[in-house]
Amino acid sequence: MKAPTVSTDVFLGAPPARHAALLADLDRWVAEGWLRALDRSFAAFLAQKAPEADPLLVLGAALASHQLGRGHACLDLQAALADAGLALSMPPEGAARAAEDAAPITAPSALLAGVTLARWTRALTHPALVGDGPGTTPLVRIGSRLYLRRYWQYEQSVRAAIGERVARPTAAAAPEMRATLTAALDVLFPHRDGAAADWQKIACALAARQHFGIVTGGPGTGKTTTVVRLLAVLQHLALAGGEGRRLRIRLAAPTGKAAARLNESIAGAVARLPLEGLADPAAVRAAIPTEVTTVHRLLGSRPDTRHFRHDARNPLALDLLVIDEASMLDLEMMAAVFAALPPHAPLILLGDKDQLASVEAGAVLGDLCQRADAGHYGADTATWLEAVTGELLEPELCDAAGSPLDQAVIKLRISHRFSAASGIGKLAEAVNAGDAGAVRRVFDRGHADLSQQRSLDDAALRRLVVDGAPEGFAGQGMGRVEGGKAVPPPAGYRHYLARMSQGKPGVDAPQADFDAWAREVLAAYGQFQLLCALRSGPQGVAGLNQRIAGLLRAEGLLEAEHGGWYPGRPVLVTRNDYGLGLMNGDVGVTLAMPAWLPGEQRPRWTLRVAFAAGDGQGGIRWVLPSRLRAVETVFAMTVHKSQGSEFAHAALLLPERPSPVLTRELVYTGITRARHWFTLVAAPEVMQGAVRKRVERVGGLGLSRP
C-alpha cells in the first residue's frame, strides 16, 4: 500500500473549496470501507447547511457519526488527536486497498496532523451547528466530547431518570414496613451459621429500597434466584398492605433467546420458592409472573421507525419492571425504557457487568457498575442493611463518600455454577482480572472441563464440530458428575442431527408429536456451539458456516441444499420480524414436516423452521423458510450474538493474528457461554493480547455518578 498523504488543501482556501476537498477524502474512506456512507452524508448535510463552517467541524461530525457505528456514544476529540488510528480504528486493522495502484488515501491521522485540541475546539464554535447543552443544534460539545444531539439527549435523560429514582425510597423501605420486610427476607433466606455474607439477601433488600436497582454478577451467582425471591418479597408486602393488591410486574430481556432462557429459569425458580412462613404462600406464588417478553415487544415496536407505542405520553401499565441480560441494552433503548416507565414503578436491571457491551452505542450496564467491585456503600446503607437483614458489610466495601447510585448497585460475589475445581470458573476469573499468566496456569493444571488447541485445520475442525473433540478433555469427558447426576461427555453437531433423524415422527403423527420432536432437537442443538470473534475472513462466521456444512455433509449428516435450505440447517434471526413474532437473536432449526397439497392423496414432506415460541409453555413456532427474510446459518456464531445463551459445550475460536475486536470482555463472554465444557482455539500470544486489552466505550454516562 502506498503511504498516505496529506490533503493540504482541506484547510486552505475558501470554505466551499475546503469542504469539497474534505468530502472527497471522505468519499475515499467510504469506498475503502473505513467509513459508512451514512457518516459521509451527515457531514455533507452540515457542509451544505453551513457553507462557512470550518472543515474541522464537518470532519468532527463525520467522525462522531462513525463512532456511533462502533458503539461509542460520542467522539473523544482528545483521543482522536493523540492516536487517530487507535481511537477511530481507521483504517481498520488488516484492511487491504481495493487496488494497489489506486490513488493514495489521506488517513485521519494525516488529516489531523498538527491540529491541536484548542484549534479543533475553536472550529466547533458555530452556534447554528454546535451547542453546549439544551437546544436544537445537530451537535453538542461537552469538554472534549462531541455528540450527535440525539445521543447527548439519551445520556442526559438516562442520568436524570436514574438520579431521580435512586433518591426516592419505595413503600417497602418505609419504617412501618421494616418488620414485615425483615420477616419476609428471613423466610426466603434462612440464617446460615458461620457462613459468609448472604449477598442474595443483601441484594433483595437493597433492590427493594428505592425505585432503581442493579443486580450484577458472573454466571451462576444467582441473579435469577435473587430476583425471583425479591419478587416474592415485594408481592408479599403488597398483598399484606392496606389495599391488598398484587403488583403488576413485567419481565423482559433484550433478545428472544435471552427471554426464552429467563422464561425457563424463572418458572423453575418460582416452583422451588420456600414460601412457608409467609401469611399466604399460595397467593404470593401465584402473583409472581413467569412470562418473559423482549424489551422491543414490551415497549411496542413500530416497524420502520425508531419510536415505540409506549412512551412518556403512553406509559406502560405496570408497577415494577425487571430486565435481564442488561449488558445488551444500548443507550437509546435504555432511554426508551425510562421514558415508558410510570413514575411510581421501580426498575431492576440484572446482568453481568463484565460481559460485552451492546452492539449499538453505549455501555450502559458497564458504565453504571464501574464501582460495583468495591461497593462504596455509605454508613446509612450499612446500618439499614444490618437492621433489615442482619448482614454486616465488610469494612472495605464501605465508603463515606459513596454516591446515591452506589447504594443501588449490588454485586453477587459467589458462583454456584462453577465449583472450586471448575476450570471454566477459574479461567473466567483469570480473564476478567486481565491476568495472562493466570490464564496460562489454569490451562497448565489440566482441568477436566477445559480443552485447548492452537489452530483448526480441516481435520481438527471436523473433530471439534462433528463430535466435540472429546479427546481434548481428561478421560475423553467421561465420568464427570454434577449435583449427583452424570454430565454427558462433550458433544458436537452430530448430537442434534442424530436426534433429528432418529426421533422424526411418522407422516401421520399428530402435530403434538412434531412439536415434541422439535423441542428435543432444539435442546440437542444447544449442547454445542462454535463461537467466533470475527464475522468475515477465514476465521469468521461466514466462511466457517460454509466449511462446517461441507464437513457435516461429508459425514452423511446433512442433505444437499435446495435453494439454500436443507433439514438440520440452524438459523439465527438477525432482524426483528413483528409479523412472524420473531426477534433478533432467535435461533431455529430447519425440519421436515408433512403438508397436504391440493389434489394429493398423501401429505408431502416440506421444510419448516422450528423456533421456541418463548411462551413459557414449551410451544413451537413453525415458519416457512420463504417467509424468513433476515436469517443466517449459525453453525458458527459471533460471541456478540451468543449473549443471553448457554451451551453445554462452547468452543471459542480466536483469529490467528491480533485484532481490535479481541478484548478480555469478548473472551470472558465466550467462556461463560459454556456450562460444562469449554474449548479454546487460539495461539497463546493472541489470547494473551486479548486478555490484556479492555473494551473502551466513549461516553459520559459513567463520568459522573447519578
Side-chain angles (χ1 to χ4, degrees):
M1 180 189 296
K2 297 180 181 179
T5 60
V6 180
S7 295
T8 54
D9 57 341
V10 168
F11 301 120
L12 300 175
R18 291 184 292 166
H19 289 168
L22 173 62
L23 293 174
D25 280 327
L26 299 187
D27 284 333
R28 296 186 189 100
W29 294 358
V30 171
E32 292 294 327
W34 297 6
L35 193 72
R36 300 177 301 174
L38 173 68
D39 309 326
R40 191 269 183 201
S41 296
F42 179 55
F45 168 74
L46 294 189
Q48 182 181 30
K49 182 177 181 180
E52 76 288 353
D54 193 303
L56 273 173
L57 187 158
V58 177
L59 175 62
L63 296 180
S65 178
H66 164 72
Q67 291 296 74
L68 284 176
R70 298 182 58 235
H72 301 292
C74 58
L75 168 68
D76 187 329
L77 304 172
Q78 197 158 15
L81 291 174
D83 190 337
L86 178 63
L88 306 171
S89 189
M90 290 176 62
E93 187 170 319
R97 292 296 310 276
E100 286 298 320
D101 59 349
I105 298 178
T106 305
S109 56
L111 202 59
L112 293 170
V115 175
T116 64
L117 181 60
R119 165 75 178 88
W120 207 347
T121 300
R122 286 197 303 273
L124 293 170
T125 305
H126 192 298
L129 299 183
V130 185
D132 58 1
T136 59
T137 58
L139 298 168
V140 176
R141 183 180 68 83
I142 306 296
S144 66
R145 304 193 308 278
L146 182 64
Y147 292 84
L148 271 66
R149 172 164 294 280
R150 184 155 51 90
Y151 281 85
W152 177 80
Q153 289 174 331
Y154 292 151
E155 215 172 70
Q156 296 304 302
S157 66
V158 169
R159 179 182 289 110
I162 293 174
E164 188 274 331
R165 288 174 177 275
V166 296
R168 187 153 51 95
T170 62
E176 61 270 20
M177 296 298 293
R178 178 172 296 180
T180 307
L181 175 60
T182 297
L185 289 170
D186 288 343
V187 167
L188 286 154
F189 299 94
H191 180 68
R192 303 174 299 175
D193 291 329
D198 190 338
W199 279 101
Q200 292 186 11
K201 187 175 186 180
I202 291 171
C204 274
L206 283 181
R209 192 183 183 201
Q210 62 282 305
H211 280 71
F212 179 76
I214 298 176
V215 179
T216 187
T221 51
K223 296 186 290 294
T224 302
T225 300
T226 300
V227 78
V228 168
R229 297 190 182 196
L230 169 65
L231 299 184
V233 168
L234 294 178
Q235 288 291 27
H236 169 71
L237 295 178
L239 292 170
E243 297 183 8
R245 180 182 67 85
R246 67 168 65 180
L247 300 173
R248 297 169 299 172
I249 299 174
R250 297 296 303 272
L251 309 174
T255 67
K257 183 68 173 180
R261 273 198 62 208
L262 184 60
N263 245 326
E264 296 168 4
S265 54
I266 284 278
V270 171
R272 296 189 300 270
L273 273 174
L275 299 177
E276 292 70 22
L278 297 183
D280 192 345
V284 171
R285 200 182 305 275
I288 301 173
T290 56
E291 181 181 348
V292 185
T293 186
T294 64
V295 177
H296 282 85
R297 285 186 182 123
L298 175 76
L299 295 180
S301 294
R302 293 175 173 175
D304 304 319
T305 176
R306 307 181 80 99
H307 302 295
F308 295 95
R309 186 163 54 87
H310 291 289
D311 54 20
R313 292 169 295 182
N314 180 31
L316 294 161
L318 50 76
D319 301 309
L320 172 66
L321 175 60
V322 177
I323 301 180
D324 193 20
E325 296 290 351
S327 61
M328 290 190 277
L329 285 175
D330 60 86
L331 187 60
E332 181 177 6
M333 183 58 73
M334 193 76 260
V337 168
F338 276 121
L341 201 60
H344 74 277
L347 172 65
I348 307 294
L349 301 180
L350 308 178
D352 187 343
K353 67 180 180 63
D354 298 312
Q355 282 191 28
L356 280 168
S358 61
V359 175
E360 303 298 329
V364 176
L365 191 70
D367 284 345
L368 297 178
C369 294
Q370 284 180 357
R371 288 156 54 98
D373 290 342
H376 298 282
Y377 298 115
D380 288 347
T381 299
T383 301
W384 186 84
L385 278 173
E386 183 180 0
V388 170
T389 68
E391 299 288 336
L392 296 174
L393 293 178
E394 299 170 8
E396 57 267 28
L397 297 177
C398 297
D399 178 3
S403 72
L405 176 61
D406 292 327
Q407 318 312 303
V409 179
I410 312 98
K411 178 185 175 182
L412 302 178
R413 300 167 187 267
I414 300 173
S415 176
H416 304 283
R417 178 188 301 178
F418 301 127
S419 68
S422 167
I424 296 175
K426 290 185 179 298
L427 182 62
E429 183 179 342
V431 168
N432 217 6
D435 191 337
V439 168
R440 184 179 62 253
R441 291 191 293 274
V442 170
F443 277 111
D444 288 345
R445 292 191 184 106
H447 289 280
D449 54 352
L450 294 179
S451 175
Q452 182 183 28
Q453 55 192 89
R454 186 180 182 95
S455 60
L456 283 180
D457 57 20
D458 279 347
L461 180 62
R462 190 206 67 78
R463 289 193 298 272
L464 177 61
V465 300
V466 175
D467 292 309
E471 67 276 3
F473 296 91
Q476 299 217 0
M478 302 296 292
R480 287 195 66 223
V481 176
E482 182 181 77
K485 296 182 179 179
V487 177
Y493 291 131
R494 185 192 299 275
H495 178 65
Y496 91 90
L497 292 170
R499 187 70 195 87
M500 179 186 74
S501 299
Q502 296 165 7
K504 183 178 178 181
V507 68
D508 295 321
Q511 183 62 45
D513 288 359
F514 284 94
D515 289 349
W517 172 53
R519 281 192 294 273
E520 293 173 359
V521 173
L522 288 167
Y525 172 77
Q527 291 296 299
F528 175 74
Q529 184 65 59
L530 178 63
L531 306 175
C532 303
L534 305 177
R535 287 200 54 82
S536 58
Q539 281 108 15
V541 294
L544 279 167
N545 275 313
Q546 293 182 359
R547 285 178 66 191
I548 293 169
L551 291 171
L552 294 172
R553 284 196 180 89
E555 292 288 319
L557 297 171
L558 288 181
E559 298 178 13
E561 289 188 26
H562 297 284
W565 292 91
Y566 47 87
R569 180 191 178 192
V571 295
L572 175 78
V573 177
T574 58
R575 189 171 64 240
N576 294 341
D577 189 322
Y578 303 99
L580 295 177
L582 296 175
M583 295 291 117
N584 183 12
D586 286 350
V587 172
V589 175
T590 310
L591 300 172
M593 283 275 293
W596 290 91
L597 299 179
E600 297 194 2
Q601 299 300 312
R602 297 281 295 169
R604 180 181 298 182
W605 291 103
T606 58
L607 295 181
R608 299 287 190 276
V609 184
F611 294 90
D615 57 3
Q617 307 299 317
I620 296 295
R621 180 177 286 112
W622 297 90
V623 182
L624 276 168
S626 59
R627 299 192 65 193
L628 294 170
R629 303 298 184 188
V631 295
E632 59 187 31
T633 304
V634 71
F635 291 119
M637 176 189 292
T638 61
V639 175
H640 262 109
K641 290 290 187 181
S642 75
Q643 288 182 269
S645 300
E646 179 182 281
F647 310 97
H649 178 197
L652 174 62
L653 172 64
L654 300 185
E656 294 177 349
R657 291 182 295 276
S659 166
V661 305
L662 295 184
T663 63
R664 76 178 64 162
E665 289 85 356
L666 180 137
V667 175
Y668 171 83
T669 303
I671 293 168
T672 54
R673 299 311 89 201
R675 182 170 183 84
H676 297 302
W677 310 98
F678 177 73
T679 297
L680 175 67
V681 183
E685 60 273 16
V686 173
M687 177 68 168
Q688 291 167 13
V691 169
R692 294 189 180 106
K693 183 180 177 184
R694 297 216 65 163
V695 170
E696 297 292 345
R697 285 284 177 93
V698 180
L701 188 60
L703 297 180
S704 59
R705 310 291 286 172

